[in-house]
Short mmCIF file of all heavy atoms in Angstrom, two decimals:
data_model
loop_
_atom_site.label_atom_id
_atom_site.label_comp_id
_atom_site.label_asym_id
_atom_site.label_seq_id
_atom_site.Cartn_x
_atom_site.Cartn_y
_atom_site.Cartn_z
N ASP L 722 155.38 72.19 113.64
CA ASP L 722 154.80 71.85 114.94
C ASP L 722 153.33 71.45 114.83
O ASP L 722 152.76 70.93 115.81
CB ASP L 722 154.92 73.04 115.91
CG ASP L 722 156.37 73.41 116.21
OD1 ASP L 722 157.21 72.49 116.22
OD2 ASP L 722 156.64 74.61 116.42
N LEU L 723 152.71 71.71 113.68
CA LEU L 723 151.31 71.38 113.50
C LEU L 723 151.14 69.89 113.26
O LEU L 723 152.05 69.21 112.78
CB LEU L 723 150.74 72.15 112.30
CG LEU L 723 150.78 73.68 112.36
CD1 LEU L 723 150.28 74.27 111.05
CD2 LEU L 723 149.97 74.20 113.54
N PRO L 724 149.96 69.35 113.60
CA PRO L 724 149.67 67.95 113.25
C PRO L 724 149.83 67.74 111.74
O PRO L 724 149.62 68.67 110.95
CB PRO L 724 148.23 67.76 113.70
CG PRO L 724 148.00 68.81 114.73
CD PRO L 724 148.83 69.98 114.33
N ALA L 725 150.20 66.54 111.34
CA ALA L 725 150.51 66.26 109.93
C ALA L 725 149.36 66.63 109.01
O ALA L 725 149.57 67.22 107.94
CB ALA L 725 150.89 64.79 109.78
N SER L 726 148.13 66.30 109.40
CA SER L 726 146.99 66.60 108.53
C SER L 726 146.77 68.10 108.39
O SER L 726 146.29 68.57 107.35
CB SER L 726 145.72 65.92 109.05
OG SER L 726 145.43 66.37 110.37
N ARG L 727 147.14 68.87 109.43
CA ARG L 727 146.99 70.32 109.34
C ARG L 727 148.13 70.92 108.54
O ARG L 727 147.93 71.92 107.82
CB ARG L 727 146.95 70.94 110.75
CG ARG L 727 146.63 72.45 110.73
CD ARG L 727 145.25 72.69 110.19
NE ARG L 727 144.87 74.09 110.15
CZ ARG L 727 145.12 74.92 109.13
NH1 ARG L 727 145.75 74.46 108.04
NH2 ARG L 727 144.73 76.17 109.17
N GLN L 728 149.32 70.35 108.62
CA GLN L 728 150.44 70.82 107.80
C GLN L 728 150.10 70.70 106.32
O GLN L 728 150.43 71.58 105.52
CB GLN L 728 151.70 70.00 108.10
CG GLN L 728 152.32 70.26 109.45
CD GLN L 728 153.61 69.48 109.64
OE1 GLN L 728 154.43 69.39 108.71
NE2 GLN L 728 153.80 68.90 110.83
N ALA L 729 149.42 69.62 105.98
CA ALA L 729 149.08 69.39 104.57
C ALA L 729 148.12 70.45 104.04
O ALA L 729 148.08 70.70 102.83
CB ALA L 729 148.47 68.00 104.41
N ARG L 730 147.36 71.08 104.94
CA ARG L 730 146.39 72.10 104.52
C ARG L 730 146.89 73.52 104.75
O ARG L 730 146.14 74.48 104.54
CB ARG L 730 145.08 71.90 105.29
CG ARG L 730 144.33 70.63 104.91
CD ARG L 730 143.20 70.34 105.90
NE ARG L 730 142.49 71.55 106.25
CZ ARG L 730 141.84 71.73 107.40
NH1 ARG L 730 141.85 70.75 108.30
NH2 ARG L 730 141.21 72.84 107.65
N TYR L 731 148.13 73.66 105.19
CA TYR L 731 148.66 74.99 105.47
C TYR L 731 148.77 75.80 104.18
O TYR L 731 149.30 75.33 103.17
CB TYR L 731 150.04 74.88 106.14
CG TYR L 731 150.65 76.23 106.49
CD1 TYR L 731 150.26 76.92 107.63
CD2 TYR L 731 151.62 76.80 105.66
CE1 TYR L 731 150.82 78.15 107.95
CE2 TYR L 731 152.18 78.04 105.98
CZ TYR L 731 151.78 78.70 107.12
OH TYR L 731 152.33 79.92 107.43
N ASN L 732 148.27 77.05 104.22
CA ASN L 732 148.28 77.93 103.04
C ASN L 732 149.56 78.76 103.04
O ASN L 732 149.67 79.73 103.79
CB ASN L 732 147.04 78.83 103.08
CG ASN L 732 146.87 79.64 101.81
OD1 ASN L 732 147.82 79.84 101.05
ND2 ASN L 732 145.66 80.13 101.58
N GLN L 733 150.48 78.38 102.18
CA GLN L 733 151.76 79.10 102.13
C GLN L 733 151.57 80.55 101.70
O GLN L 733 152.32 81.44 102.13
CB GLN L 733 152.71 78.39 101.16
CG GLN L 733 153.10 76.97 101.59
CD GLN L 733 154.06 76.96 102.76
OE1 GLN L 733 154.63 77.99 103.12
NE2 GLN L 733 154.22 75.78 103.38
N ALA L 734 150.57 80.82 100.86
CA ALA L 734 150.36 82.18 100.37
C ALA L 734 149.98 83.14 101.51
O ALA L 734 150.37 84.31 101.51
CB ALA L 734 149.29 82.18 99.30
N ARG L 735 149.23 82.65 102.50
CA ARG L 735 148.84 83.50 103.62
C ARG L 735 150.00 83.71 104.59
O ARG L 735 150.08 84.74 105.27
CB ARG L 735 147.65 82.89 104.38
CG ARG L 735 146.33 83.10 103.70
CD ARG L 735 145.19 82.50 104.51
NE ARG L 735 145.10 83.06 105.85
CZ ARG L 735 144.51 84.21 106.17
NH1 ARG L 735 143.98 84.95 105.21
NH2 ARG L 735 144.48 84.63 107.42
#
Side-chain angles (χ1 to χ4, degrees):
D722 297 327
L723 300 176
S726 59
R727 187 65 179 88
Q728 289 183 42
R730 291 169 42 207
Y731 181 80
N732 187 340
Q733 296 288 346
R735 282 181 58 81

